[in-house]
Amino acid sequence: MSAAPVWSVDPRTGNPREQVAVEATAEEVDRVVRAAHALRDALADRTARAAFLRTAAELLEESGEHIIEAADAETALGPARLTGELARTAAQLRSFAEVVDEGAFLDVHIDHEDGSRTPPWPDLRRCKIPLGVVAVYAASNFPLAFSVPGGDTASALAAGCPVVIKAHPDHPATSELCASVLHRAAVRTGLPEDVLTVVHGFDAGVELIRHPLVSAAGFTGSVRGGRALFDAAAARPAPIPFHGELGSLNPVVVTGAAATERAGEIGTGLGGSMTLGVGQFCTKPGFVLVPEGAAGDQLLKTLTETVSSTGSGVLLDHRMRDAFVAGVRERAALPEVDAPVTPGAAGEHTVSAGFLTVPAARLTAKGPHDALLEECFGPVTVIARYASVDEIAAVLARLPGNLTATLHTATEDPDPDAAPLLAALPPLAGRILVNGWPTGVAVAPAQHHGGPYPATTSTSTSVGATAIERWLRPVTYQNTPDALLPPELREDNPLGLPRRVDGRRA
């Protein structure tokens, strides 16, 4: 039987554009993983890794016109959005090069022998080493920043791990183009191009997570797909870490004082955030608690005007479009759910933005309205109208884990509800915002892009410098002669690494 073809499809029409590749067989996945495993030592040189990452950023920028053209043809995300995403992707690669240069990610600790302690201390020297081959599952909604050249790939390579990427079927041509750029970057910096490889196909993705030489995996996608891979990673004879980003409501709480002070501003901001990228951001505010009464009514009036003026858009593929249309129809049919602006199908290939409203009291206990507490991917949000702070607390207690949680408070006068409501948010999410909107994730050392399940399957971040920690494990050497130690742990610190010696930063 011949391998199934992989087609690039135009989401604006649903028509195939070109055949890009063929789906990888089990034998091909095995060959690719074994080849990657054999190249682990090729990434041992930190200087070469940092140069590779910087060169990859440079070559991506040089090829930007072609990459953006291909990505737009496959995703309909638009040149402006993709230009920004390419810049973010290049910056991300350079930031991990800086992490590699600095070396603090190795977390070097040296405790010299001390016989005066009880019990006595031997000489102990600890640092982190790469796990091995990392499987990366590309995201649909970020064909660059969370796909072939994205954060999982960049952080794994920075850690010294070869990467095998399962390309997303929504943008196979973009994936192949980006892979070719990264291969050129590897060769230009003296590394084998197969330190990074791309495979296609659903079955290839399953084979990849099961392969005994794959040591960890990163995933961005749906709850259903991510949970299946997470379970497969745990069911292996030797389970492996699975760092999955699965789904998030990204709740927003608007206090009564905030609505009174700036209902129009909040309504406009919410409308812009929930429709950004046709509602396909993983940090889209999908659930908002708004007070009953005149101030809340004014907020919804502004939101109605903002969303109504938003044009229809194309989702990443027709499967997602169908799921969006069915999802909003199901939710809108629930008792006491209204649609001031009806979301749904706008044409054969497009969707329109909208929002639903429901009394918060409908959500304080388990029931058919629980569907409103599940992510609906696309340009829609749910507005729950609350009558009291106690009602807010009851609803928040029922929410699943999230990437973000946002509180809008009064800015001019004291807001008595601000502190207790803010204290209720950290258990729900990994990033807490005040008087802002969650769409947009800065690539910064202090960033955390993760949260309680089902937002993610681990406590790690997939954005920011500490994302590298996912692909490392610690090793301690005890009473080992200096000549036998790896350079990172030798007494004279030949690599000039930051480290902690006898409890003090050296």
Side-chain angles (χ1 to χ4, degrees), residues 101-121:
D101 282 339
E102 183 199 26
F105 73 97
L106 294 168
D107 197 24
V108 177
H109 288 255
I110 296 175
D111 293 318
H112 291 106
E113 184 176 2
D114 186 350
S116 68
R117 292 181 178 267
T118 305
W121 282 11

Side-chain angles (χ1 to χ4, degrees), residues 126-206:
R126 178 185 186 272
C127 70
K128 291 183 177 179
I129 64 173
L131 288 174
V133 178
V134 168
V136 169
Y137 293 80
S140 62
N141 56 340
F142 282 87
L144 306 175
F146 284 85
S147 292
V148 171
D152 284 353
T153 299
S155 57
L157 291 169
C161 298
V163 177
V164 179
I165 303 163
K166 191 274 181 186
H168 197 280
D170 280 352
H171 38 78
T174 307
S175 298
E176 287 292 329
L177 180 55
C178 290
S180 70
V181 171
L182 267 64
H183 288 161
R184 286 194 286 120
V187 171
R188 185 174 293 188
T189 51
L191 295 174
E193 66 175 29
D194 285 346
V195 294
L196 175 142
T197 314
V198 171
V199 296
H200 298 266
F202 175 86
D203 290 341
V206 175

Side-chain angles (χ1 to χ4, degrees), residues 33-60:
V33 173
R34 291 185 182 280
H37 181 74
L39 294 176
R40 289 170 298 158
D41 290 346
L43 288 168
D45 186 336
R46 286 192 303 124
T47 301
R49 296 206 306 269
F52 172 31
L53 294 169
R54 289 192 174 95
T55 302
E58 178 185 339
L59 295 184
L60 282 169

